Amino acid sequence: MAVPWLALSACSFQHGVSVGDASPPDTQRSDADIDAPNEGLVSRNLVARYFIDEAAAGQSPTQLTDAAANPFPLAMTYTGTLSFTEVATQRGLHWTTPGDLGRASAPIDNTKITMALAGAKRWTYELVVDLRNATSGECRLISIGNGTATYGDAALITSDLTTLRLHVDATYAHWNVTFGSGRVVLHAVVDTTLATSTSRYQLFVNGTQALRIAGTVPVQDAGLVIPANDYLAIGNVEGAGRSPGGDVYYAAIYSDALTPAEITANTARLLANDDH
């Protein structure tokens, strides 16, 4: 169990406030202490977690902090209208118009992202978003790719605010989702070990499974293929202007398929507060 003052220290330094000279040096912190800010959220098979609460406004932060063990920060690129925002005390990234190049991203070759996900048969994307505009340019909410492939190697995409697609390598699933009415929690769950082919990609919106309306299916037991030179990007894809119009408040990746009970618990926590 994390020691309470360690959790306070992690949150306080996140916003640039020291808690005093009583804090021990960082060399005394364990992985359990590093994970203290995740209290209340599932951490089973957690790969990366971005609370996206570095600022309430503006373009000052240089990166997004990863709250998971062995942190993998994402560099900020403030091209176009991208800035931080705070709405009803919830902080996130805001794009005024879709199609900008602005993003949080980093190359993933030889990182914990590829080590956890390359070849994975079970994994989950978890996001909190509030989208108000999109274009036929295929707006990415989160993506693993490099901007040269048509859709990326693992990307959540919308082009109309009424549907959402998960593209994985050469396969995809397409669901009815209505954006534009405030923050929603999304869980895109992959499990190619399942016998029922249409269940291998599932989407949950605020904890409720969405209606699958189209798509292709992966071969049973297919693993995620991540080629060299890919990037992890939030709110875009590296190398192309594919931002949404709206806000991305939080993002996490798990190297397993979250269970319905875990999705329900995380959804309740994130709807109440998606920051530290």
Side-chain angles (χ1 to χ4, degrees), residues 3-262:
V3 181
W5 60 260
L6 284 173
L8 175 61
S9 175
C11 291
S12 298
F13 280 109
Q14 174 68 25
H15 295 289
V17 180
S18 173
V19 294
D21 295 333
S23 298
D26 284 345
T27 54
Q28 297 185 24
R29 299 178 71 204
S30 67
D31 283 351
D33 300 327
I34 292 170
D35 198 47
N38 297 309
E39 224 172 300
L41 289 167
V42 172
S43 289
R44 181 180 66 85
N45 292 101
L46 177 67
V47 178
R49 174 169 285 145
Y50 303 96
F51 284 105
I52 315 182
D53 58 358
E54 283 76 5
Q59 300 179 328
S60 294
T62 59
Q63 64 181 26
L64 293 187
T65 301
D66 175 8
N70 303 313
F72 181 71
L74 301 180
M76 296 299 306
T77 300
Y78 294 107
T79 302
T81 64
L82 174 61
S83 65
F84 279 82
T85 189
E86 184 173 65
V87 179
T89 75
Q90 301 302 299
R91 295 181 173 188
L93 293 176
H94 171 73
W95 291 262
T96 302
T97 57
D100 282 354
L101 286 165
R103 62 201 180 276
S105 65
I108 59 173
D109 286 356
N110 303 311
T111 68
K112 71 171 182 177
I113 305 299
T114 52
M115 287 188 287
L117 296 183
K121 302 175 184 178
R122 298 159 58 92
W123 52 276
T124 302
Y125 276 154
E126 178 178 67
L127 290 94
V128 180
V129 304
D130 180 6
L131 307 183
R132 294 177 291 281
N133 198 356
T135 70
S136 58
E138 315 290 354
C139 301
R140 270 67 160 179
L141 309 187
I142 186 170
S143 68
I144 291 175
N146 57 27
T148 60
T150 303
Y151 297 113
D153 300 303
L156 271 177
I157 300 172
T158 185
S159 58
D160 53 17
L161 299 187
T162 61
T163 60
L164 189 66
R165 306 196 312 275
L166 175 66
H167 283 265
V168 181
D169 300 324
T171 61
Y172 78 98
H174 196 166
W175 299 277
N176 279 332
V177 181
T178 301
F179 296 105
S181 298
R183 291 163 56 248
V184 295
V185 180
L186 304 173
H187 287 90
V189 182
V190 173
D191 186 350
T192 65
T193 70
L194 296 177
T196 303
S197 61
T198 54
S199 296
R200 293 173 192 160
Y201 298 156
Q202 297 182 54
L203 179 72
F204 294 80
V205 181
N206 289 341
T208 299
Q209 189 168 352
L211 175 64
R212 183 182 185 276
I213 58 174
T216 56
V217 295
V219 174
Q220 189 169 19
D221 292 319
L224 177 61
V225 177
I226 301 179
N229 303 316
D230 266 6
Y231 283 68
L232 171 63
I234 292 177
N236 223 317
V237 62
E238 190 73 14
R242 296 291 185 269
S243 73
D247 310 320
V248 178
Y249 287 97
Y250 163 97
I253 304 172
Y254 302 82
S255 59
D256 202 355
L258 292 191
T259 67
E262 290 171 330

Side-chain angles (χ1 to χ4, degrees), residues 254-275:
Y254 302 82
S255 59
D256 202 355
L258 292 191
T259 67
E262 290 171 330
I263 289 170
T264 296
N266 273 15
T267 296
R269 159 69 160 82
L270 291 169
L271 285 175
N273 182 10
D274 57 52
D275 293 335

